[in-house]
């Protein structure tokens, strides 16, 4: 019995099947295609008619066909386009220079949203770098790079990954809050790459930059955004204040008489948490600790006053409160 598989299912538009061979040993199907000469050659960049220059061949990976690994060999031409110059011709089911068919790339990109790259690579028997490139091309196509033209207020922060061993620097547009740039690392050089992309003129238009107190970021901002105010946000300042608080707690614990040491136990978070969110037991232990230790009591009061600064709505109010 023999029957032909309908062309619409194979999905090789503008091409004709030349030959199909298979190997039982390697569970592999090899499909060979030839151009259907009734169709014009089209430029892969602008999709306009172009004249053929040189015949070429390429073998790309395709989706599994009934469980068989599938490779598709296509002939195509290098073409001369009036607008774009020398390019490769448009193949409807393969992106220019890709190593896989579009349908395989779509399957890879979809799975990458749900599984680690390495698992996707294993499933399709692809090199993980190929999977990474497919995913990257898909994401670039799906999410255009955000424009940098109208930004005036930005926030810069770092995030860690690989259990805190590696860092990314993230830049946000704070007027219309969204992420606009990400680069590996957290030093001045990383940030310079963002500012290079931003350019001098747009850099001058930045009015304010919210950053933590890292010297690297401050230097970078001063150099590239000469008109920007540097703003340290509440979260970062309190984070630093909390470190001071903990240092005092440890020092005071060491100095404390034996009979008072018990009051310090499990108080690290009580000292930095919002007091309104403490439970009864927490409130009681905190108040006992602050009653027996004057330095911690003073630091705690200052901390509460520090938080109040962000309630001020004018610079004058803020300066008065700071004094
Ligand atoms: Zn063209």
């Amino acid at each position: 019995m023999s029957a032909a598989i309908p062309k619409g299912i194979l999905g090789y538009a503008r091409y004709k099947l030349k030959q199909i061979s298979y190997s039982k040993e390697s569970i592999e199907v090899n499909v060979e295609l030839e151009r259907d000469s009734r169709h014009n050659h089209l430029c892969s960049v602008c999709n306009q008619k172009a004249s053929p220059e040189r015949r070429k061949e390429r073998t790309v990976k395709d989706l599994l066909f009934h469980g068989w690994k599938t490779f598709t060999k296509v002939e195509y031409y290098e073409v001369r386009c009036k607008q774009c110059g020398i390019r490769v011709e448009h193949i409807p089911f393969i992106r220019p220079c890709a190593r896989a068919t579009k349908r395989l790339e779509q399957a890879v990109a979809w799975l990458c949203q749900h599984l680690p790259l390495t698992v996707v690579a294993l499933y399709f028997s692809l090199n993980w770098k190929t999977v990474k490139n497919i995913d990257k091309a898909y994401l670039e196509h799906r999410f255009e790079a955000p424009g940098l033209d109208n930004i005036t207020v930005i926030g810069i922060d770092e995030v860690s990954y690989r259990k805190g061993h590696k860092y990314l620097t993230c830049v946000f547009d704070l007027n219309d809050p969204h992420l606009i740039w990400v680069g590996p690392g957290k030093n001045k050089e990383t940030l310079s790459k963002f500012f290079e992309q931003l350019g001098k003129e747009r850099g001058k238009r930045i009015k304010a930059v919210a950053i933590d107190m890292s010297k690297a970021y401050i230097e970078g901002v001063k150099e590239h955004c000469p008109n920007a105010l540097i703003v340290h946000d509440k979260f970062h300042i309190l984070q630093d204040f909390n470190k001071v608080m903990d240092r005092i707690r440890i020092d005071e614990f060491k100095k404390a008489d034996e009979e008072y040491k018990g009051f310090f136990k499990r108080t690290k978070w009580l000292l930095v948490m919002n007091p309104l969110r403490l439970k009864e037991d927490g409130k009681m232990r905190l108040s006992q600790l602050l009653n027996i230790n004057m330095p911690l009591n003073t630091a705690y009061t200052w901390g509460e006053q520090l938080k109040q600064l962000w309630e001020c709505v004018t610079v004058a109010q803020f300066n008065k409160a700071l004094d």
Side-chain angles (χ1 to χ4, degrees), residues 108 111-123 126-136:
V108 166
L111 270 184
C112 283
Q113 294 175 46
H114 306 279
L115 293 169
L117 287 184
T118 43
V119 177
V120 179
L122 201 64
Y123 180 72
L126 288 166
N127 183 299
W128 76 268
K129 271 190 183 161
T130 310
V131 172
K132 193 181 98 174
N133 289 337
I134 291 173
D135 191 37
K136 197 176 157 198

Side-chain angles (χ1 to χ4, degrees), residues 43 45-48 81 83-84 87:
C43 163
V45 178
C46 65
N47 247 355
Q48 298 300 309
C81 168
Q83 268 191 57
C84 317
R87 298 285 163 163

Side-chain angles (χ1 to χ4, degrees), residues 73-90:
K73 186 172 169 186
V74 280
E75 66 157 353
Y76 63 102
Y77 281 78
E78 221 172 59
V79 292
R80 181 179 296 278
C81 168
K82 276 184 193 157
Q83 268 191 57
C84 317
I86 297 287
R87 298 285 163 163
V88 289
E89 80 173 310
H90 168 69

